[in-house]
Amino acid sequence: MRCPFCRNADSRVVDSREVDEGQAIRRRRSCSACGRRFTTSETMVLAVVKKSGVTEQFSRDKVVTGVRRACQGRPVDEDDIQQLAHRVEESIRSAGAAEIPSHEVGLAILGPLRDLDSVAYLRFASVYRAFSSIEDFEKEIAGLREAIGGTGGAAETTDTADAADAADAGGRAD
């Protein structure tokens, strides 16, 4: 590491600390030539390899943007989206690889998004997996119902509510 004051290439580390929840290391250094101290910050760069072979730096903002688009019009808080993006980044970084294929980023998003909002999950999955037919949606919905552990409890609730509304309307008409 070059000293920013005298440009000498030799310095020694005086102190090291983790910052940003362990995502970066802050080092306090001392120049062996001029004796002045300076601080450096080291962060692990995580690269995403796209289908085309192009490599770019991982961006949590891109995850947030994609999830926010899938959640548009849904009752999902911005904090929930930010937490999901944080969990996705943590799971990708925990793999320990410096480069990760873009499809693995998508897979890392799908799990937490399914837990957050099933409609947003279907929207995201339809784009991520390039659904091309109604059958693709039907298969994904069947898998989602299996994962949730029911076969359409929401539809049964709606039918019960409709029956109660019809009974109320009939009672008032008499």
Side-chain angles (χ1 to χ4, degrees):
M1 173 58 61
R2 289 196 179 276
C3 173
F5 305 108
C6 70
R7 309 299 296 156
N8 182 33
D10 188 30
S11 65
R12 69 181 181 88
V13 176
V14 178
D15 182 38
S16 292
R17 295 182 187 191
E18 286 187 2
V19 292
D20 294 333
E21 299 173 3
Q23 299 301 316
I25 298 174
R26 182 184 156 270
R27 297 195 194 280
R28 192 74 179 136
R29 296 177 175 269
S30 176
C31 177
S32 59
C34 69
R36 295 179 76 179
R37 290 186 175 200
F38 56 98
T39 302
T40 59
S41 180
E42 299 173 16
T43 57
M44 184 178 102
V45 176
L46 180 62
V48 177
V49 181
K50 298 197 164 219
K51 289 178 187 175
S52 64
V54 174
T55 303
E56 67 178 43
Q57 189 171 346
F58 174 81
S59 170
R60 186 189 298 186
D61 291 337
K62 282 190 171 186
V63 173
V64 168
T65 300
V67 171
R68 189 180 290 136
R69 191 173 297 135
C71 292
Q72 191 171 8
R74 302 294 303 155
V76 176
D77 293 337
E78 182 65 24
D79 287 343
D80 292 335
I81 294 172
Q82 294 294 335
Q83 287 176 357
L84 184 143
H86 181 73
R87 282 190 291 168
V88 167
E89 184 174 5
E90 280 183 342
S91 71
I92 290 171
R93 287 191 185 276
S94 69
E99 291 185 344
I100 186 164
S102 60
H103 71 86
E104 288 190 29
V105 176
L107 289 175
I109 293 171
L110 283 173
L113 188 55
R114 181 185 324 144
D115 297 338
L116 182 63
D117 187 90
S118 57
V119 173
Y121 167 79
L122 281 173
R123 289 176 178 172
F124 190 88
S126 71
V127 173
Y128 174 71
R129 293 187 174 141
F131 288 2
S132 60
S133 67
I134 292 173
E135 289 79 22
D136 293 338
F137 278 97
E138 288 173 342
K139 286 179 195 173
E140 197 64 41
I141 290 170
L144 187 59
R145 283 186 174 148
E146 264 184 42
I148 292 172
T151 58
E156 294 166 3
T157 304
T158 303
D159 292 343
T160 306
D162 289 345
D165 289 343
D168 286 343
R172 281 184 243 139
D174 290 336

